[in-house]
Amino acid sequence: MEDVLIVGAGPVGLMLACELGLAGIRPIVLDKRPEPGDLPKANGLGGQIIDLLDHRGLLERFSAGSPFSGRAPGFPFGSVPLRFAGLDDIPLRLLMIQQPRLERLLAERAAELGAEIRRGQEVVSLAQDEHGVTLGIEVGPGVEGGPGAGDGPGVEGGRREVRARYVVGGDGGRSRLRELAGVGFPGTTDDEVLRMGHFAADVSVFESPQVSGLQPGWNRRPYGRVLLTSLQPGVVIAGVREKGAYSGGPVTREEFMAAVRRVLGEDLPLGKPIWLSATVSQARLAERYRAGRVFLAGDAAHLFPAGGSALNVGMTDAANLAWKLAARLRGRGAEWLLDTYESERRPVAERALMQTRAQAALDRVEGEDGEALRALLTEVFAHEQAARHLAAMLHGSDTRYGSGNLPGGEHPLVGRFVPDLVLADGRRVAELMRAARPVLLDLGGGGTVPGDCAGWIDVVRARCDDPPAGALLIRPDGYVAWAGTDGLAQAAGKWFAGAPAHA
Ligand SMILES: Cc1cc2nc3c(=O)[nH]c(=O)nc-3n(C[C@H](O)[C@H](O)[C@H](O)COP(=O)(O)OP(=O)(O)OC[C@H]3O[C@@H](n4cnc5c(N)ncnc54)[C@H](O)[C@@H]3O)c2cc1C
């Protein structure tokens, strides 16, 4: 029996594989696609996931060649500009990286850490009992064990079964695993279609920015909105958003141009399409994140109706779940620890749903009412406090997990992502988190790891200016489990030695 099967080699499934690999678990990742995805869906990452990549020492590797990596200069909040000029200490960072490259780098890293990625394998059935989960898989043509390849052990006519102690569905918004596990996905579907395309640049679009009075960025018209932008030389990104339904088939150039004509009333001089797609935004949240030994993460658990949050929330879901699964598999975590995945992460998705629904509404509302709302909020967003509040929300730094009612739990850092303190020896806290192990950072307040956690928690004794606490106990996902001077043994025992939840 395997330890963990991950369904879906998208960014979330692969992030989970990396995190499990660091914890010494060798997961198997199953993906129905025979090859890595090449759709340029997301253009980048924003928020706490960037801090986490920094913790893992991956930031340099992931930002190599990126057109932008750094503090966010602003953010189009539902088409109302949010500007962070002069706010050099806001937490929100952006890393422009195309999704296929992100997936390739994550897959490389997961493989380095011992994960096995099996492509061309579609999960079609699920059965679970108290010991494990059995997945039925359809193996694609041309894949070892697939149709026509002859039956191997456990393989019959292109079908096989795999069994594991835990299964995680990172299989996207239309998650089959979620459906097989009987978990509902309530929410709403937008009544607008967004058609997007990357086009070989016809520079005339940008040399004449006044084509149809268009400006780079989103342009609002009575029948919809048109996007024109470019993130790399030679490629124009264009988008058209209009009321209507989408049948689900591939988008053709003719269909895209017809949508442009409906909204603008004229053609755009766009070059040859490199890639075209259509999506309808949805706002949905899984009824449960856990069904027995099956967990959901990323788009399988939540869909947000506006951009910028999906990968941040999804990939940090993975980091939250990985260390808990690993602890349980190693006999160190109690069963309740696995339940904290949902109790910690669902509120994060609820909050992201709230702000992305607000963005979608702000973007959608038409006519003079819409103009007035956007004008008013443009004024409000110019206030520093509003900009800081939204930056923290978009970043995820306003997330605070429960303290577990432990001594020291009232410290303001408990339940928060650890600040990136610079220690007297020059190291940053991020550098202590490379191995994704729990760290006791003793900043002069003392503290001894109890015997049952020794060898599991790394102890770092250091000094820094203005220490925020005598000591910090940092979880593998970067969150502070405990801070202060009293109650370390209880906190360490609770989180890292399998003590009962209410000890
Ligand atoms: C046009 C567009 C632009 C976007 N821009 C951004 C952005 O800028 N920032 C951002 O954060 N997000 C953005 N998103 C959203 C982002 O792409 C998704 O949130 C992200 O892909 C979700 O990752 P995931 O790993 O959860 O799921 P997915 O990426 O959907 O991966 C799921 C994987 O599961 C596999 N799979 C599905 N079913 C099965 C099965 N039964 N058996 C085996 N394998 C299966 C699929 O083949 C796929 O590889 C954008 C999306 C689109 C469409």
Side-chain angles (χ1 to χ4, degrees):
M1 178 148 67
E2 306 296 338
D3 280 332
V4 181
L5 291 168
I6 300 171
V7 185
V12 173
L14 292 169
M15 181 73 191
L16 180 67
C18 294
E19 292 285 295
L20 284 169
L22 281 172
I25 306 294
R26 308 273 171 266
I28 292 177
V29 186
L30 304 164
D31 200 291
K32 66 181 179 183
R33 291 181 301 194
E35 302 291 339
D38 59 359
L39 291 181
K41 297 201 282 190
N43 288 313
L45 300 174
Q48 208 164 63
I49 183 58
I50 298 179
D51 304 335
L52 196 67
L53 292 177
D54 188 16
H55 276 203
R56 301 299 181 247
L58 294 173
L59 202 48
E60 219 171 290
R61 185 161 157 184
F62 279 51
S63 53
S66 165
F68 182 85
S69 172
R71 194 82 54 203
F75 187 87
F77 192 91
S79 75
V80 177
L82 192 52
R83 297 195 176 89
F84 303 129
L87 305 180
D88 295 337
D89 57 343
I90 57 146
L92 189 62
R93 284 197 274 181
L94 301 177
L95 165 58
M96 302 312 292
I97 180 170
Q98 298 276 307
Q99 192 157 331
R101 178 172 154 77
L102 173 69
E103 290 181 20
R104 184 165 55 74
L105 290 172
L106 287 168
E108 268 173 29
R109 179 69 179 146
E112 282 166 18
L113 293 167
E116 188 186 336
I117 303 173
R118 296 182 185 166
R119 299 193 187 270
Q121 312 220 354
E122 179 171 4
V123 173
V124 292
S125 70
L126 177 154
Q128 62 172 314
D129 55 43
E130 59 183 304
H131 304 294
V133 187
T134 303
L135 293 182
I137 291 165
E138 236 155 55
V139 184
V143 177
E144 194 189 340
D151 295 346
V155 183
E156 207 179 294
R159 284 192 76 129
R160 68 172 63 161
E161 287 190 342
V162 252
R163 190 165 161 78
R165 291 179 65 190
Y166 296 103
V167 169
V168 183
D171 52 342
R174 294 182 189 164
S175 171
R176 184 78 187 269
L177 203 77
R178 185 184 62 229
E179 188 188 309
L180 291 168
V183 177
F185 201 36
T188 52
T189 300
D190 207 351
D191 62 354
E192 290 187 333
V193 188
L194 169 63
R195 290 183 179 81
M196 291 286 297
H198 286 204
F199 295 83
D202 180 334
V203 285
S204 61
V205 176
F206 284 101
E207 279 177 355
S208 335
Q210 297 311 319
V211 173
S212 309
L214 292 177
Q215 299 297 325
W218 280 103
N219 295 265
R220 200 170 281 278
R221 294 289 182 274
Y223 296 109
R225 281 150 279 165
V226 170
L227 169 76
L228 271 187
T229 188
S230 180
L231 295 174
Q232 65 192 97
V235 180
V236 170
I237 300 176
V240 195
R241 196 183 264 283
E242 60 173 346
K243 286 240 183 306
Y246 163 57
S247 58
V251 180
T252 62
R253 187 177 198 281
E254 291 65 39
E255 181 187 336
F256 186 91
M257 292 304 173
V260 169
R261 272 194 300 278
R262 280 193 296 275
V263 173
L264 285 184
E266 59 185 310
D267 285 321
L268 272 181
L270 293 167
K272 197 167 176 283
I274 299 164
W275 160 81
L276 292 166
S277 78
T279 46
V280 175
S281 298
Q282 298 186 60
R284 296 185 182 277
L285 184 60
E287 278 170 355
R288 287 175 288 151
Y289 276 27
R290 178 179 188 184
R293 292 176 166 270
V294 175
F295 295 82
L296 300 171
D299 277 15
H302 40 69
L303 285 174
F304 305 125
S309 296
L311 287 173
N312 189 32
V313 178
M315 290 173 72
T316 47
D317 284 347
N320 184 289
L321 179 58
W323 70 271
K324 296 171 182 175
L325 277 176
R328 189 81 187 121
L329 285 162
R330 300 202 167 275
R332 297 216 62 108
E335 187 60 21
W336 64 263
L337 187 62
L338 291 179
D339 289 327
T340 65
Y341 169 59
E342 171 151 3
S343 61
E344 291 183 343
R345 294 307 297 174
R346 210 162 184 284
V348 172
E350 281 168 352
R351 196 156 170 75
L353 205 50
M354 180 270 280
Q355 57 91 354
T356 50
R357 270 187 188 280
Q359 285 192 59
L362 253 180
D363 194 27
R364 201 166 31 218
V365 59
E366 295 291 355
E368 292 180 25
D369 292 350
E371 294 311 323
L373 183 60
R374 284 184 286 273
L376 177 74
L377 286 179
T378 302
E379 286 180 20
V380 172
F381 289 3
H383 288 274
E384 181 177 334
Q385 220 179 335
R388 284 189 183 282
H389 182 81
L390 288 170
M393 185 185 270
L394 292 164
H395 176 261
S397 49
D398 59 352
T399 298
R400 186 171 190 190
Y401 299 148
S403 65
N405 298 325
L406 289 164
E410 65 286 349
H411 191 285
L413 280 182
V414 172
R416 301 261 184 211
F417 198 81
V418 66
D420 199 17
L421 305 170
V422 179
L423 306 175
D425 60 11
R427 283 181 300 173
R428 293 181 299 121
V429 165
E431 293 169 56
L432 311 179
M433 306 305 298
R434 298 287 188 254
R437 287 165 57 86
V439 170
L440 173 66
L441 176 58
D442 178 353
L443 294 169
T448 309
V449 166
D452 53 355
C453 297
W456 170 240
I457 298 176
D458 291 341
V459 180
V460 177
R461 297 193 196 284
R463 290 287 179 273
C464 72
D465 292 338
D466 299 324
L472 299 172
L473 181 60
I474 311 167
R475 308 183 339 179
D477 58 2
Y479 278 79
V480 176
W482 165 90
T485 45
D486 297 329
L488 170 62
Q490 257 174 293
K494 176 189 162 181
W495 288 106
F496 306 118
H502 304 294

